[in-house]
Amino acid sequence: MSALNPSGAKTIDSIRPWRTIARRPSRKIKVGSVYVGGDAPIAVQSMTNTLTHDVEATVGQITRLEEVGADIVRVSVPDPESSAALRSIVDQVNVPLVADIHFHYKRGIEAADNGAACLRINPGNIGGQARVKEVVAAARANGCSIRIGVNGGSLERDLLEKYGEPCPDAMVESALMHARMLDDEGFHDYKISVKASDIFLTVAAYHQLADATDAPLHLGITEAGGQRIGTVKSSIGMGSLLWAGIGDTIRVSLSDEPEEEIRVGFDMLKSLGLRTRGVNIISCPSCARQGFDVIKTVRILEVRLSHVREPISLSIIGCVVNGPGEAMFTDIGFTGGSAGYGMMYHAGKKTGKTDNIDMIDEIVAGVEAKAEEVRAAREETVAA
């Protein structure tokens, strides 16, 4: 029997079962107001690169990250000035903050007391179980969760001696050892990451870890590189894990502006149907058949439509070979024709010819109208 939604229509999963991603079962924790794990949406996060004690600069960057959709933001807390600044920063932003702690357990306690929603630590490098106990006590008292962050470039010396080099077994052993340190304190509100710059190592480690724990997992290919190569590496590694149902939060690590990490992260999730924020543009690479400048048009539309948060699909195809077919499955479509005009589509149906000179304004207007329709329907549902 085909699955039905509340309106009685067949669901996408029943019509196209090959699109279904069965997410790995995991326990659910909270990072401030954001749920992570279980059936919660996969959270997208980035990290500030300002000096944390420069409150104005850090708040400004976090605000820009909020505007492009960040669910969680991480900030470095390397010194007392930074942990003290957290209180003022937290009061001025809306997204939950993760305090990045290395070596100095007191920074973790201070960060929890000053409003951090989560602490990113390696329990093994902050001074043993006695200090872990103190950090856990501060986290528990402040409703703060913890991320155990294992990195292929900073594994414990004994594990490197045991295994000879960073490998999946070593990374997972490190992660589980750190998890036991928290479990021994009766603290289970934690997520785990096992990142490396090597795609193969990262993917293998996450698959192994996913079988060994029900903790939510934070995904990333660490030190992935600049915008282009970092996006490629992250998409291959994280994309394959997400497709396998593994991952509850993600960070695309780029040597670029943090906002770009959020954009790439959402694009990755949109491509897999795991998140639907913003406009998903389906466009052709263009060829001699194109009836308008596809590449230029898409670049303009990406900017003009960047403010839209509702999940809208848009097809921009240069000619009639694939254009009408693609438009059948998108909310708004434009297909190039000849003699300086093309055909507009709404919900797969032709709505009339549009001159190439006016097409960008027409497309933007169509997307914005659809977004308003989606907003109104959502508000009506909430009100009911």
Side-chain angles (χ1 to χ4, degrees), residues 105-106 108-110 112-113 119 121-123 126 128-148 178-190:
Y105 80 102
K106 288 185 178 179
I109 295 170
E110 294 162 0
D113 288 342
L119 306 177
I121 62 172
N122 280 347
I126 60 173
Q129 193 68 33
R131 289 182 174 176
V132 169
K133 185 181 185 71
E134 291 188 55
V135 173
V136 166
R140 183 179 281 120
N142 290 283
C144 191
S145 58
I146 289 176
R147 171 158 78 91
I148 297 168
H178 295 149
R180 281 194 296 274
M181 296 178 79
L182 299 183
D183 290 334
D184 287 347
E185 301 300 330
F187 188 87
H188 309 294
D189 294 330
Y190 60 81

Side-chain angles (χ1 to χ4, degrees), residues 35-95:
Y35 283 100
V36 172
D39 59 355
I42 295 171
V44 181
Q45 69 181 72
S46 181
M47 184 174 183
T48 57
N49 55 28
T50 56
L51 294 174
T52 304
H53 59 73
D54 185 340
V55 173
E56 182 178 359
T58 302
V59 168
Q61 190 168 77
I62 294 171
T63 300
R64 292 191 295 275
L65 286 166
E66 290 178 349
E67 290 171 353
V68 296
D71 298 304
I72 300 169
V73 175
R74 181 157 52 113
V75 298
S76 294
V77 183
D79 47 50
E81 293 78 14
S82 296
S83 57
L86 268 181
R87 173 56 61 192
S88 180
I89 294 169
V90 167
D91 289 343
Q92 297 180 62
V93 301
N94 297 310
V95 353

Side-chain angles (χ1 to χ4, degrees), residues 40 59 76 85 105 171 208 227 237 259 262 286-287 289 294 319 340 354 381:
V59 168
S76 294
Y105 80 102
M171 294 180 70
Q208 188 171 325
Q227 196 275 338
E259 297 95 315
I262 298 299
S286 80
C287 69
R289 292 191 303 269
V294 174
C319 76
T354 297
T381 300

Side-chain angles (χ1 to χ4, degrees), residues 170-236:
M171 294 180 70
V172 172
E173 184 172 332
S174 176
L176 296 179
M177 174 189 69
H178 295 149
R180 281 194 296 274
M181 296 178 79
L182 299 183
D183 290 334
D184 287 347
E185 301 300 330
F187 188 87
H188 309 294
D189 294 330
Y190 60 81
K191 53 183 176 174
I192 306 176
S193 64
V194 282
K195 298 183 181 182
S197 57
D198 181 284
I199 298 173
F200 298 95
L201 173 56
T202 301
V203 172
Y206 273 110
H207 273 284
Q208 188 171 325
L209 182 62
D211 290 336
T213 179
D214 70 343
L217 302 183
H218 169 73
L219 302 188
I221 306 297
T222 196
E223 295 141 3
Q227 196 275 338
R228 182 176 60 85
I229 189 62
T231 296
V232 171
K233 288 180 180 178
S234 297
S235 298
I236 293 171

